[in-house]
Amino acid sequence: MSYADFLGMTVREATPGRTVVSLRITPDGLNMHGTAHGGLLFSLADEAFAVISNLEARAVAVETHLSFFRPAREGDELIAVATPERVGRTLATYRVEVRRGGEGEVLALFLGTVARREPSRPSE
Amino acid sequence: MSYADFLGMTVREATPGRTVVSLRITPDGLNMHGTAHGGLLFSLADEAFAVISNLEARAVAVETHLSFFRPAREGDELIAVATPERVGRTLATYRVEVRRGGEGEVLALFLGTVARREPSRPSE
Amino acid sequence: MSYADFLGMTVREATPGRTVVSLRITPDGLNMHGTAHGGLLFSLADEAFAVISNLEARAVAVETHLSFFRPAREGDELIAVATPERVGRTLATYRVEVRRGGEGEVLALFLGTVARREPSRPSE
Amino acid sequence: MSYADFLGMTVREATPGRTVVSLRITPDGLNMHGTAHGGLLFSLADEAFAVISNLEARAVAVETHLSFFRPAREGDELIAVATPERVGRTLATYRVEVRRGGEGEVLALFLGTVARREPSRPSE
């Protein structure tokens, strides 16, 4: 099972202009304060970042920044929406918002940069 | 089970000057490229950051930065070592290095800032 | 003369929802490669961030992230547009885009977080 | 005059293992609160980052993170010390501490990543 499956993520949408991944918070996702672990929010955002950045290239993550705005709780459905900030030939930067539900508050804001290699060919 | 337990983390050392958390990478920690998912490396670093920052205060994460240097693979033991960069009254910043084994290469470098509230009393 | 004046910045717009600061690149703003120094782009973005974050509070910068997308050149007019990502009681995060001209390409993307104290009173 | 000269910077040391740049804060470096502008601290750190990263390659900045720890004041001498975190073939990450004086407190902590091209030849 992949890490994304292990944490219960579902890819809802995967296009170069917008990629959406979700998960529902279970007791296994909580930290010492009883709220969602920062690592869980990051993992969801990072999966959306990995999916979107690999759609048209072979992408390797260089760095990421994450701001935490509000806590998430058990039972919440988290939705990560990734969009491109700038896609260049060798580098690309994406923004990912992690929301509580589809139209809910932004809980965390992720920004990530990848190094891009040429796209995989269909025959590979 | 907490998120840290769910991912198989062990706190090896927990002092305000140095906190160490480890895990061994299983198939459940891999991404689409067959290497450790960025979210797993972040989660380990973030746990070390959470533990060290909560030893002497009630800390809430504000933001984190993560640089990825080298890939990690199934079977690798990851060691996250957190140390303080600057601890102020209301804000504190910590550095976490994620290494392959105790003396191994640095795979990822994490920097995180928390907002601090006064420490919990023992009677609480 | 303040630093913003020293570097030739002009505040074009200053509201809590959108603040705009500009400057034109002179030979004094160039680096060893003959393009605008990263410090100049940052300084412009940071000024927009300082202005917007101090309109309704006394704000102190905690951390900033800057991604460089494209080089800027002598003679270019740089426009920094700051908007709020999230404004809380004690912390606030802003996004600043640095563009070449008003509708031009995004040259750099800045994200910054402040700690907020209560607003200064008029009588202070 | 280059930007670094315009702001009064002096390169004290320039080796791949450690690069040091300094400046003294004048009234032209102050912000609306009467302390050193964040852009000035960043510019100094960014110059040390540019110098160290270009010693053995042609380097282009990708992204930077800056944490502000303590304010700097008029008359303070700022010393930026850059050291490598990790130097790879196509990417490199450096740490820069900005201190008040040579052995003084850390005022700001900078982390930056460059994309590296092959080094310039002497004949170029």
Side-chain angles (χ1 to χ4, degrees), chain D residues 4 12 17 30 32 36 42 59 72 80-81 90 102 116 122:
Chain D
R12 301 286 193 88
L30 304 183
M32 63 184 85
F42 180 94
V81 180
T90 59
R116 307 173 87 217

Side-chain angles (χ1 to χ4, degrees), chain D residues 5-90:
Chain D
D5 290 339
F6 184 63
L7 292 182
M9 297 182 200
T10 303
V11 177
R12 301 286 193 88
E13 196 178 327
T15 70
R18 179 181 152 100
T19 287
V20 182
V21 184
S22 67
L23 66 72
R24 190 167 298 275
I25 302 174
T26 70
D28 291 340
L30 304 183
N31 63 20
M32 63 184 85
H33 299 316
T35 56
H37 197 286
L40 185 68
L41 275 75
F42 180 94
S43 294
L44 181 67
D46 194 58
E47 177 65 11
F49 168 58
V51 170
I52 197 170
S53 63
N54 278 283
L55 289 174
E56 300 187 319
R58 177 163 169 103
V60 177
V62 173
E63 59 86 32
T64 63
H65 183 270
L66 185 68
S67 295
F68 294 98
F69 293 161
R70 298 173 182 90
R73 301 184 195 289
E74 192 184 332
D76 284 349
E77 182 180 42
L78 300 182
I79 310 276
V81 180
T83 50
E85 287 284 359
R86 184 252 175 164
V87 178
R89 196 175 54 79
T90 59

Side-chain angles (χ1 to χ4, degrees), chain A residues 44-92:
Chain A
L44 181 67
D46 194 58
E47 177 65 11
F49 168 57
V51 170
I52 197 170
S53 64
N54 278 283
L55 289 174
E56 300 186 318
R58 176 162 169 104
V60 176
V62 173
E63 59 86 34
T64 63
H65 183 270
L66 184 68
S67 296
F68 294 98
F69 292 160
R70 298 173 183 90
R73 300 183 196 289
E74 192 184 332
D76 284 348
E77 182 180 43
L78 300 182
I79 310 276
V81 179
T83 50
E85 287 285 359
R86 184 252 174 164
V87 178
R89 195 175 54 81
T90 60
L91 293 165

Side-chain angles (χ1 to χ4, degrees), chain C residues 86-100:
Chain C
R86 185 251 174 166
V87 179
R89 195 176 55 81
T90 60
L91 293 165
T93 299
Y94 298 88
R95 169 189 177 97
V96 188
E97 294 182 0
V98 180
R99 292 180 175 273
R100 181 181 286 122

